[in-house]
Amino acid sequence: MSSVPAPAPPQPANHVNTNQAHMNPLPPSVFTLPQTAQLEALYTIIRDKNTSRGDFLFYSDRIIRLLVEEGLNHLPVVKKTIETPTGSTYEGVGFQGKICGVSILRAGEAMEAGLREVCRSVRIGKILIQRDEETAQPKLFYSKFPPDIKNRYVLLLDPMLATGGSAIKAVEVLMEQGVPEERIIFINLIASPEGLTTFTSKYPLLKVITGWIDEGLNEKAFIIPGLGDFGERRYCV
Ligand code: URA
């Protein structure tokens, strides 16, 4: 009688992934989403080269929403007392300070809708950074910000943190606008250990919220295993 191998038992729903192994210990300013089987399943869909554009949009949006919610957890609150419809007093908290989003074009633009879903009528700025052909350094090509950005907490949006060059340039531009480093929260889908190390060493006071830390970069500075070119998968049919 030939023996058929038993199917692998299903993972428990709270299965915790070990992807942090790619960066252990984490810099103190880096926060990841809880590495559950649910989250890993979402990443498995968006990483799959056979995933349709529609599914890529849907499932990357789900992760972006989780990331934005986690980013908001890092904003300060102040005590706030309110009265409920039952006539009781409730001692809670309220958000302190104003926020805005800033997307690093073009991929970061895909994260704007997720921020708007959670923060109604949030102001959003944009930064376009590209490689300077002469110097090979990241160069600012365009920016537009809310006029009072220096008084706001900034959620800086970029889905892929590869070498860290664009993120570093974007923070430099924000700081030139008067935004203190500690008021910037960088929100990201997938980071490379190299990019995280470079970015957080340069700016240790800002917070990084990332969903997943991958193995590393290939010779073309793509994140491995990654998901390919985020902008292409999101915008090109
Ligand atoms: N940008 C992408 O879209 N993908 C990568 O892997 C790295 C940067």
Side-chain angles (χ1 to χ4, degrees), residues 88-145:
S88 319
T89 298
Y90 180 77
E91 290 179 6
V93 295
F95 291 116
Q96 185 200 33
K98 293 193 287 187
I99 67 159
C100 71
V102 170
S103 61
I104 303 181
L105 301 176
R106 81 178 162 158
E109 219 166 15
M111 301 173 79
E112 292 179 6
L115 178 58
R116 283 209 171 88
E117 274 171 26
V118 181
C119 306
R120 257 193 313 158
S121 62
V122 64
R123 304 291 308 269
I124 294 189
K126 293 177 193 291
I127 298 183
L128 175 63
I129 292 161
Q130 280 175 346
R131 219 170 93 108
D132 185 315
E133 292 303 332
E134 279 168 24
T135 65
Q137 294 303 309
K139 182 177 169 191
L140 176 69
F141 276 81
Y142 168 82
S143 65
K144 191 169 190 316
F145 301 117

Side-chain angles (χ1 to χ4, degrees), residues 29-84:
S29 58
V30 175
F31 299 83
T32 59
L33 292 177
Q35 308 284 294
T36 61
Q38 164 83 209
L39 186 71
E40 192 172 7
L42 297 177
Y43 273 93
T44 304
I45 294 170
I46 64 167
R47 289 178 191 280
D48 188 340
K49 68 175 186 179
N50 294 316
T51 292
S52 67
R53 179 168 171 263
D55 278 353
F56 186 84
L57 284 167
F58 182 83
Y59 290 102
S60 57
D61 279 348
R62 278 195 59 189
I63 301 173
I64 289 165
R65 174 108 187 219
L66 295 172
L67 288 165
V68 171
E69 293 281 9
E70 177 56 24
L72 297 178
N73 283 337
H74 293 266
L75 293 171
V77 291
V78 284
K79 284 199 167 129
K80 184 174 179 182
T81 304
I82 52 106
E83 198 179 317
T84 75

Side-chain angles (χ1 to χ4, degrees), residues 160 162 221-223 226-231:
M160 306 297 282
F222 270 83
I223 300 174
L227 49 71
D229 185 320
F230 184 92

